[in-house]
């Protein structure tokens, strides 16, 4: 049985964060030590991010709301709202993104109507409410009230993988199943001024966004564009790193722990994490990593992508989807890898079986991996890499 991700859509809030402008705002906050100011400028400047999105209009730095809660544009001060205040905004703003992304994914899936959805899986680690996002999506889209609903909460950046893996299992158990997976993260709700390196790192990296996918094994649907065949998933816990990456709840928002040693842990254990995944398919397990055409890596940060590229011997071109997502959107936690997959889907298609190796990292330290195949869509006479990368960058062979 072949389970396929047949549509993949994204939704983003309207407010744009310009990295250099946000850097200057954070670097001039009262209470920062000299070291704290240097860390702010270093983290923001080295993040390989130009812009991010936020659900907080105040963080545009020009908003002149009468009663600001996060940023007072008149005084230039970053404020310290409570966790409740932040979560109350999540309830309203995240719901909008969940519904928008889900509606777009359903609308773009040829042959599938709201009545066909049998399961809804929602994902987020940046807020809580109940009835939750799964309920809100079901009601807003007019889904069957008996649809099976699941919410994966507080798992972190890798959570899109358990969601897709669960969707695949549902479809394998029921050939008529149609699963709607929706991830929405408002990471910017939890930014704050601080001298703490982890807080500074989070402020320099994280943005807001949502993505949704329709997944099914049904064979009676029209071929209406590029899709992703979900071949295999694996999950690995590294033997070290439990304290290096974490996500905790504080009085003034959720608190990220992102130790500087995380890229080194990934460097040491990424090959071992990939081994059980690639063992499912001997056509890729015995070949160099760079011969897998596409790599959909969660861009947790520039240094993580640098380590993945170097350790696996990948080309610069193979990391373009991840690096471009990071550059334009930042790290949107669980939604980010779906943005990377969408980037790959939008590249020209040659008509062959284009393999995709995907992975994400999160608390634990957890490494989630997936081996996929890109299928369908209009065939381009040019190879995907020739149109997707700057001139002069060699294109790898797709597997």
């Amino acid at each position: 049985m072949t389970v396929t991700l047949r549509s993949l859509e994204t939704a983003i809030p309207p407010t744009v964060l310009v990295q250099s402008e946000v850097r200057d705002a954070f670097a001039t906050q009262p209470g920062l030590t000299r070291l704290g100011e240097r860390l702010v400028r270093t983290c923001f400047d080295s993040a390989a991010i130009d812009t991010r999105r936020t659900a907080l209009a105040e963080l545009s730095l020009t908003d002149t709301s009468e009663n600001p809660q996060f940023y007072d544009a008149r005084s230039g001060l970053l404020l310290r709202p409570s966790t409740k205040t932040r979560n109350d905004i999540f309830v309203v703003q995240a719901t909008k993104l969940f519904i928008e992304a889900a509606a777009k994914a359903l609308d773009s899936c040829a042959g599938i109507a709201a009545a066909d959805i049998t399961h809804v899986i929602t994902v987020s680690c940046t807020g809580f409410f109940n009835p939750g996002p799964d309920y809100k999506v079901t009601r807003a889209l007019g889904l069957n009230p008996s649809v099976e609903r699941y919410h994966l909460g507080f798992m972190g950046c890798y959570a899109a993988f358990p969601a897709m893996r669960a969707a695949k299992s549902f479809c394998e158990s029921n050939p008529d199943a149609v699963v709607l997976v929706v991830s929405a993260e408002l990471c910017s709700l939890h930014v704050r001024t601080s001298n703490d390196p982890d807080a500074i790192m989070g402020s320099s990296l994280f943005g807001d966004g949502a993505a949704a996918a329709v997944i099914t094994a049904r064979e009676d649907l029209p071929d209406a564009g590029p899709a992703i065949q979900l071949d295999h998933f694996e999950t690995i816990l590294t033997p070290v790193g439990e304290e290096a990456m974490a996500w905790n709840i504080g009085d003034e928002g959720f608190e990220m722990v992102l130790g500087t040693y995380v890229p080194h842990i990934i460097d040491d254990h990424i090959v071992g994490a990939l081994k059980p995944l690639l063992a499912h398919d001997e056509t890729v397990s015995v070949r160099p990593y760079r011969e897998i055409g596409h790599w959909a890596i969660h861009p947790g940060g520039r240094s993580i992508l640098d380590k993945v590229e170097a350790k696996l011997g990948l080309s610069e071109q193979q990391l373009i989807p991840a690096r471009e997502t990071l550059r334009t959107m930042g790290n949107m936690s669980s939604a980010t890898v779906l943005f990377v997959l969408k980037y790959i889907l939008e590249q020209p298609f040659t008509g062959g079986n284009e393999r995709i190796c995907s992975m994400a990292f999160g608390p634990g330290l957890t490494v989630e991996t997936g081996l996929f195949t890109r299928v369908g869509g209009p065939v381009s006479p040019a190879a995907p890499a020739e149109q997707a990368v700057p001139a002069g960058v060699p294109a790898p062979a797709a597997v």
Side-chain angles (χ1 to χ4, degrees):
M1 178 182 294
T2 301
V3 179
T4 303
L5 187 158
R6 296 188 63 91
S7 70
L8 179 56
E9 299 293 340
T10 60
I12 53 177
T15 300
V16 178
L17 297 178
V18 177
Q19 186 79 342
S20 59
E21 295 175 357
V22 179
R23 174 203 63 203
D24 292 344
F26 272 80
T28 55
Q29 293 302 303
L32 276 185
T33 63
R34 286 187 179 182
L35 176 59
E37 181 182 348
R38 288 200 298 270
L39 284 174
V40 167
R41 296 193 180 278
T42 298
C43 288
F44 276 78
D45 290 344
S46 63
I49 294 171
D50 291 342
T51 57
R52 292 174 278 165
R53 295 296 180 113
T54 177
L56 298 169
E58 292 176 15
L59 293 184
S60 67
L61 308 182
T62 59
D63 183 78
T64 55
S65 301
E66 285 299 319
N67 298 298
Q69 295 175 303
F70 284 81
Y71 181 78
D72 185 346
R74 296 177 181 85
S75 66
L77 292 178
L78 284 159
L79 308 178
R80 308 184 75 91
S82 68
T83 299
K84 181 184 186 305
T85 297
R86 298 172 196 260
N87 196 70
D88 287 347
I89 294 173
F90 178 87
V91 173
V92 176
Q93 298 299 331
T95 296
K96 294 178 182 178
L97 290 180
F98 271 112
I99 292 171
E100 180 184 348
K104 289 169 67 175
L106 183 58
D107 288 346
S108 67
C109 191
I112 294 295
D116 296 312
I117 301 297
T118 58
H119 301 71
V120 173
I121 304 174
T122 54
V123 182
S124 190
C125 69
T126 48
F128 300 96
F129 61 96
N130 200 6
D134 52 304
Y135 170 89
K136 297 291 187 180
V137 167
T138 298
R139 288 300 196 196
L141 271 60
L143 306 184
N144 191 316
S146 64
V147 66
E148 293 187 29
R149 297 182 285 116
Y150 304 86
H151 180 69
L152 302 183
F154 218 63
M155 297 183 76
C157 292
Y158 63 83
F161 282 86
M164 289 189 287
R165 187 169 60 239
K168 185 174 188 289
S169 295
F170 292 147
C171 294
E172 289 171 340
S173 298
N174 175 9
D176 294 323
V178 181
V179 186
L180 178 61
V181 173
V182 197
S183 169
E185 303 284 12
L186 301 190
C187 305
S188 70
L189 287 178
H190 303 291
V191 300
R192 64 189 191 281
T193 181
S194 175
N195 287 297
D196 177 68
D198 287 337
I200 293 171
M201 182 67 72
S203 298
S204 72
L205 284 176
F206 287 100
D208 301 348
V214 175
I215 297 172
T216 187
R218 282 178 47 176
E219 298 179 350
D220 60 336
L221 302 176
D223 181 8
I228 296 175
Q229 181 177 304
L230 304 180
D231 300 323
H232 306 287
F233 291 95
E234 290 288 344
T235 183
I236 291 289
L237 287 176
T238 61
V240 296
E242 182 176 349
E243 304 301 323
M245 187 183 294
W247 191 223
N248 303 311
I249 298 177
D251 292 334
E252 296 178 352
F254 299 171
E255 299 170 351
M256 166 60 70
V257 176
L258 187 60
T260 57
Y261 197 63
V262 168
H264 300 285
I265 297 172
I266 292 172
D267 186 53
D268 289 341
H269 297 285
I270 188 173
V271 171
L274 282 172
K275 188 174 181 180
L277 176 75
L278 300 183
H280 287 286
D281 189 338
E282 63 181 10
T283 66
V284 295
S285 63
V286 298
R287 304 180 71 173
Y289 297 115
R290 68 183 295 129
E291 291 188 12
I292 298 175
H294 301 288
W295 287 80
I297 309 299
H298 168 71
R302 192 196 70 180
S303 59
I304 290 175
L305 295 180
D306 290 345
K307 287 292 186 183
V308 170
E309 181 179 324
K311 187 69 174 184
L312 302 183
L314 303 180
S315 68
E316 291 182 8
Q317 173 246 324
Q318 287 171 301
L319 268 292
I320 284 178
R323 293 194 190 277
E324 279 298 293
T325 300
L326 181 66
R327 184 182 69 82
T328 58
M329 299 301 301
N331 181 344
M332 298 167 285
S333 193
S334 66
T336 322
V337 74
L338 298 175
F339 277 71
V340 178
L341 286 169
K342 182 171 175 60
Y343 187 102
I344 291 171
L345 275 180
E346 291 174 345
Q347 304 310 303
F349 180 53
T350 60
N353 287 333
E354 298 181 10
R355 304 308 297 274
I356 303 170
C357 189
S358 186
M359 64 177 63
F361 319 95
L365 197 152
T366 302
V367 183
E368 289 279 353
T369 56
L371 185 62
F372 311 139
T373 304
R374 184 187 179 202
V375 295
V379 177
S380 168
E386 292 175 354
Q387 296 185 20
V389 300
V393 178
V399 175

